Amino acid sequence: MAETELEHGEEATILGNTPPTGDVQINVSYDLALKYLGGFGPWQRRVFFLMCLPIGINALELFAIVFLAVEPDYHCRVPEATFSGLNATPAELLNVSIPWELKDGEWTRSQCKRYTYDLLDTTINTTYRDFVEAHPVANRTQIACDQGYEYDTTEYKSTVVTDWDLVCDNSWKVNLAKSLWFAGKMAGAVIGGHAADRWGRKPVLLVSLAVDYISGIACAFSPNYAVFMAIRFIIAASTTVTTLALFVMSQELVSADKRSMVGMVIWVPFALAYVLLPGIAYFIRPWMWLQITVTMPFLFFISFWWLIPESPRWLISRNRHKEAAAVLRKAAEVTKVAMPDEVLHNTIPLTMTGEKAKKKKVYTFVDLFRPPNLRKWTLNIFFNWIVNTLVYYGISLNTAALSGNFYLNFAISGFIEIPAYLISIVILNKFGRRWPLCLMLLFGGVACIVAFFIPKHLGWMTTTLAMIGKFCITASFAVIYVFSAEIFPTVVRQIGMGMSSMSARVGGMVAPFVNLLGSYWAPMPYVIFGGASIAAGLLALLLPETKGKTLPATIEDGENFGKEDAIYIVDEE
């Protein structure tokens, strides 16, 4: 049709021509447009590539805390004047000022206690040997660090830990900062979805990118810990809004058969940035400059005002058909196709009117819990999201606890996500949803538990098992996302996905404090991660398989989903 019109010079259907004027009303159909633009054609690929860039930069902001809050070796500061008369070496001064303690089966210098003495002038002005004989270890008094701390600055010149003494009794504050990040993500999930539906994907995206940049730079100049946490909360909320807007736009951009692929591939830049971050952190050690470095790329996204279009589907849903038509004309120019008249002047009504529209029911999250089966599946899915988030961020944010080079381990942890995302596409198509989800969670859980019971001299094996756990949990995260979208009925699918995302933040907030338990018993965090993963994997077997099944449309369909004798009600609306 398009070729025939081009040959005859028809004006209304040629790309880039002046749109019809007069009384002809524009009524755009994006689904029809995809027949000419392609399900994932040149225009969609160009826009999709640009949308992937902020996703990657968001990973830098998320995981930067691992390097911003590195805890170097430290011990109590001891007033130099106290032992000035001993003429002792630095090692000898440590022996008389810092006690030894048994930790995880090894003797190490205490980091949070020091010796105190009731010294006389004659005691101070003596030899080291005489001082030790006069004050045997059994008679020395230990107190908490009352003069501050001395940090090893050989590797890290400054971190938020060293600047604000977030150690010993204050070490929990680092984990609180990590936990508040996920509280910020929860706030962003609530705000972002409603804002993007009301004001549009593009304006919300641009505002969130601006907030990302401003708050990221401000964070680098935080005067104290409280301000640092507050700004990090804002960064978390804005990056979540950015991610949600971009993900939704990518799903609305392509045809239905390309959504799973796009939904997986969009996270590959996230993993690539994850791999890149330790390289950046290796060369930029002061935390302030590292924060500025990971934030500066957001400045580039000012160009999105001109490069990223508004979602045509959203414009159509808001009856802004002229703007949608303008977007499609530009898309046709990029794709080098003709845009037929039927696309811009579709005769099929897009909205319901009259009595039928009045009778349309408004659903809420409460409808997820009304029918018994749907209630069980909803709770099961929520628990699965919580566990996936708990284990994913628990391992990712605790990379420093692994044996071997910190930077290399972190890079491997990010790199392993790339094949996990890509392989999950094959797994979903070939093996379904339920068993792959179950097995990935089981294997990941067992790997996590076994990892920290490996002897310390086999550190490479510990790291390998932890990375296997990371691979499995990344893949299961990808599977549960698709699985959830297919189990929830159409009338409450968006609500179900939103509630799943919110429940996931609970796991993110808990993960840093689970890692804190490692200070009491090193394997504890990974025992918890592994146990929760195994429990979620077994519970996944109670969910119905969705591969190749007709998706439930109504609440009744959702209640009967998975039953062999189920009769699905077709929603003719």
Side-chain angles (χ1 to χ4, degrees):
M1 174 179 175
E3 292 180 359
T4 303
E5 291 169 341
L6 280 168
E7 291 173 2
H8 290 83
E10 297 286 346
E11 293 184 353
T13 59
I14 306 295
L15 64 91
N17 281 4
T18 304
T21 57
D23 296 330
V24 180
Q25 183 172 345
I26 296 178
N27 196 37
V28 178
S29 170
Y30 190 66
D31 289 323
L32 286 176
L34 289 176
K35 294 180 180 179
Y36 301 91
L37 297 176
F40 190 50
W43 174 70
Q44 290 102 318
R45 288 197 295 270
R46 177 184 295 186
V47 176
F48 179 70
F49 170 77
L50 291 171
M51 291 194 298
C52 285
L53 298 179
I55 295 287
I57 305 303
N58 281 350
L60 299 181
E61 289 282 15
L62 166 60
F63 292 116
I65 189 65
V66 175
F67 301 96
L68 299 176
V70 168
E71 182 184 281
D73 191 22
Y74 66 94
H75 59 76
C76 295
R77 180 182 292 115
V78 179
E80 295 182 4
T82 304
F83 302 102
S84 59
L86 294 181
N87 293 320
T89 65
E92 290 172 340
L93 286 177
L94 281 178
N95 285 335
V96 297
S97 58
I98 306 298
W100 291 86
E101 60 185 19
L102 187 63
K103 186 176 182 180
D104 296 330
E106 294 184 357
W107 286 98
T108 60
R109 291 281 184 192
S110 176
Q111 293 180 310
C112 301
K113 293 181 180 179
R114 72 176 183 90
Y115 289 130
T116 184
Y117 303 91
D118 186 12
L119 299 177
L120 301 175
D121 290 340
T122 54
T123 308
I124 298 174
N125 295 306
T126 185
T127 65
Y128 169 76
R129 184 179 296 277
D130 290 340
F131 184 90
V132 172
E133 290 178 356
H135 300 278
V137 173
N139 294 338
R140 297 176 187 174
T141 302
Q142 296 184 21
I143 63 171
C145 300
D146 60 343
Q147 302 292 325
Y149 305 87
E150 290 186 9
Y151 299 95
D152 181 3
T153 58
T154 305
E155 191 171 0
Y156 301 99
K157 301 303 179 185
S158 71
T159 72
V160 297
V161 171
T162 62
D163 281 7
W164 299 317
D165 288 338
L166 305 181
V167 293
C168 297
D169 291 342
N170 288 323
S171 61
W172 60 273
K173 292 182 178 180
V174 175
N175 293 286
L176 178 60
K178 295 175 181 178
S179 184
L180 281 178
W181 173 272
F182 293 99
K185 289 181 72 68
M186 180 181 288
V190 174
I191 296 170
H194 291 290
D197 281 342
R198 181 172 181 179
W199 291 297
R201 285 49 167 137
K202 182 177 177 178
V204 169
L205 171 63
L206 293 173
V207 170
S208 65
L209 287 171
V211 175
D212 284 334
Y213 176 73
I214 296 170
S215 56
I217 296 297
C219 183
F221 297 94
S222 300
N224 53 54
Y225 164 77
V227 174
F228 176 81
M229 281 203 310
I231 296 177
R232 287 276 297 175
F233 181 93
I234 296 172
I235 296 173
S238 59
T239 53
T240 301
V241 174
T242 298
T243 300
L244 285 174
L246 290 167
F247 188 85
V248 170
M249 288 176 75
S250 70
Q251 295 293 290
E252 294 176 341
L253 199 66
V254 301
S255 58
D257 61 316
K258 302 295 183 182
R259 287 176 188 164
S260 294
M261 182 271 292
V262 167
M264 297 294 179
V265 173
I266 198 172
W267 301 114
V268 173
F270 182 91
L272 291 173
Y274 191 157
V275 176
L276 181 63
L277 178 60
I280 298 173
Y282 181 83
F283 291 103
I284 304 175
R285 299 300 175 90
W287 77 267
M288 183 185 76
W289 289 109
L290 177 60
Q291 175 63 39
I292 291 173
T293 301
V294 300
T295 302
M296 285 305 294
F298 281 108
L299 193 60
F300 164 78
F301 300 129
I302 295 174
S303 62
F304 275 24
W305 177 267
W306 301 276
L307 297 178
I308 296 291
E310 179 58 271
S311 167
R313 289 190 186 276
W314 182 83
L315 289 171
I316 293 169
S317 72
R318 295 289 175 170
N319 290 319
R320 293 162 61 172
H321 291 276
K322 288 184 179 180
E323 295 173 61
V327 172
L328 294 184
R329 289 192 184 92
K330 291 182 180 178
E333 291 179 6
V334 174
T335 312
K336 297 180 180 179
V337 298
M339 192 60 67
D341 188 69
E342 63 178 345
V343 173
L344 304 180
H345 307 287
N346 182 37
T347 58
I348 300 175
L350 299 176
T351 57
M352 292 182 297
T353 58
E355 294 299 321
K356 194 171 186 179
K358 293 179 181 178
K359 294 180 181 179
K360 187 173 180 64
K361 181 179 178 180
V362 176
Y363 293 90
T364 67
F365 75 94
V366 176
D367 292 291
L368 293 169
F369 300 94
R370 293 189 190 280
N373 283 332
L374 188 57
R375 178 169 59 247
K376 289 187 293 185
W377 294 335
T378 297
L379 293 174
N380 197 332
I381 289 171
F382 285 0
F383 178 71
N384 210 295
W385 276 77
I386 292 172
V387 170
N388 270 274
T389 309
L390 169 70
V391 180
Y392 176 84
Y393 288 109
I395 296 176
S396 299
L397 297 175
N398 201 35
T399 309
L402 298 174
S403 301
N405 184 278
F406 172 40
Y407 295 96
L408 181 60
N409 287 342
F410 196 91
I412 294 173
S413 180
F415 181 79
I416 207 167
E417 291 193 11
I418 299 174
Y421 288 129
L422 298 179
I423 290 173
S424 61
I425 299 175
V426 178
I427 292 175
L428 285 171
N429 292 332
K430 190 169 184 179
F431 300 105
R433 282 59 165 148
R434 183 172 59 182
W435 276 104
L437 178 63
C438 170
L439 294 177
M440 285 295 181
L441 287 168
L442 290 179
F443 289 154
V446 171
C448 285
I449 292 176
V450 174
F452 271 72
F453 288 97
I454 301 295
K456 286 193 174 183
H457 68 278
L458 298 176
W460 63 270
M461 187 178 293
T462 299
T463 302
T464 300
L465 287 170
M467 292 303 104
I468 291 174
K470 179 65 180 299
F471 176 91
C472 291
I473 203 65
T474 300
S476 69
F477 218 148
V479 173
I480 189 60
Y481 196 97
V482 176
F483 203 179
S484 303
E486 293 176 337
I487 285 181
F488 291 124
T490 302
V491 293
V492 289
R493 184 166 295 134
Q494 189 64 43
I495 295 172
M497 293 300 293
M499 293 293 293
S500 297
S501 180
M502 287 186 62
S503 65
R505 307 309 165 199
V506 175
M509 287 187 285
V510 171
F513 289 99
V514 174
N515 282 332
L516 192 61
L517 297 176
S519 61
Y520 301 99
W521 185 46
M524 179 64 75
Y526 283 80
V527 170
I528 294 175
F529 296 150
S533 185
I534 291 171
L538 294 175
L539 286 173
L541 293 177
L542 300 178
L543 296 170
E545 179 56 69
T546 60
K547 180 179 180 290
K549 300 288 184 68
T550 302
L551 297 183
T554 65
I555 296 295
E556 292 77 12
D557 292 349
E559 177 65 8
N560 295 322
F561 194 66
K563 297 180 181 179
E564 293 182 359
D565 58 346
I567 300 176
Y568 294 100
I569 302 172
V570 179
D571 186 4
E572 296 180 352
E573 296 181 356

